[in-house]
Amino acid sequence: MQAFLQNWPGPKLGVIGAPGDRRDGDIEELAELATEMFDWAIVKEDVDLRGRAPGEVARLMRQRMATVKPNFRCEEILDERAALKYALENAPDGSLVTIFPEKVEATIAQIEALQPPHLKTERVLTAN
């Protein structure tokens, strides 16, 4: 993923989070990697917090980002759907928005629903 992002010519926005059952150090490492891969990040949380308090994982990520790259643009929108909608509505032209979703199919449906009518296409499902 990092190699692909390095070659993207425009701004790179990550909608990111980490599962709550990961060690603090692993969550902080993910946050640090995000500052290297993206120009801007929106921190979200999964519905299943996996034993963490609401906002706890996001706080760990934001704190680590601020430590390693103080001027890094980072926003917190805990609800994944709201975070993705905000990212898609506010990303500059030519941006690449990357999300690591909790529910892939629901995220695809949300993206498709947000497309302008002239860009919508029907999905074709094939059976192997």
Side-chain angles (χ1 to χ4, degrees), residues 4 9 14 23 34 42-43 48 62 73 78-80 88 92 101 117 119-120 126:
F4 175 80
R23 297 177 302 194
I42 299 172
V43 179
D48 181 357
R62 285 186 297 100
R73 182 176 175 189
L78 296 181
D79 179 76
E80 184 173 280
L88 293 172
L119 295 178
K120 289 188 178 185
T126 59

Side-chain angles (χ1 to χ4, degrees), residues 55-91:
E56 184 179 353
V57 169
R59 179 186 49 78
L60 283 170
M61 294 187 84
R62 285 186 297 100
Q63 286 175 343
R64 184 63 181 165
M65 289 177 194
T67 299
V68 299
K69 198 170 184 180
N71 294 325
F72 184 72
R73 182 176 175 189
C74 175
E75 298 180 51
E76 180 182 303
I77 302 174
L78 296 181
D79 179 76
E80 184 173 280
R81 291 182 57 82
L84 177 58
K85 183 175 189 292
Y86 180 83
L88 293 172
E89 290 175 349
N90 291 281

Side-chain angles (χ1 to χ4, degrees), residues 24-124:
D24 287 2
D26 294 337
I27 292 169
E28 291 167 341
E29 184 177 354
L30 286 171
E32 190 167 337
L33 287 170
T35 66
E36 297 170 10
M37 295 170 52
F38 300 110
D39 301 308
W40 169 28
I42 299 172
V43 179
K44 55 94 176 172
E45 287 188 336
D46 293 343
V47 172
D48 181 357
L49 298 175
R50 301 188 193 190
R52 299 274 185 163
E56 184 179 353
V57 169
R59 179 186 49 78
L60 283 170
M61 294 187 84
R62 285 186 297 100
Q63 286 175 343
R64 184 63 181 165
M65 289 177 194
T67 299
V68 299
K69 198 170 184 180
N71 294 325
F72 184 72
R73 182 176 175 189
C74 175
E75 298 180 51
E76 180 182 303
I77 302 174
L78 296 181
D79 179 76
E80 184 173 280
R81 291 182 57 82
L84 177 58
K85 183 175 189 292
Y86 180 83
L88 293 172
E89 290 175 349
N90 291 281
D93 288 344
S95 294
L96 176 66
V97 176
T98 304
I99 182 168
F100 301 95
E102 180 178 23
K103 305 269 187 228
V104 174
E105 284 298 319
T107 301
I108 291 170
Q110 180 184 2
I111 292 167
E112 289 174 340
L114 291 171
Q115 287 181 344
H118 69 282
L119 295 178
K120 289 188 178 185
T121 60
E122 288 188 37
R123 267 213 218 168
V124 178

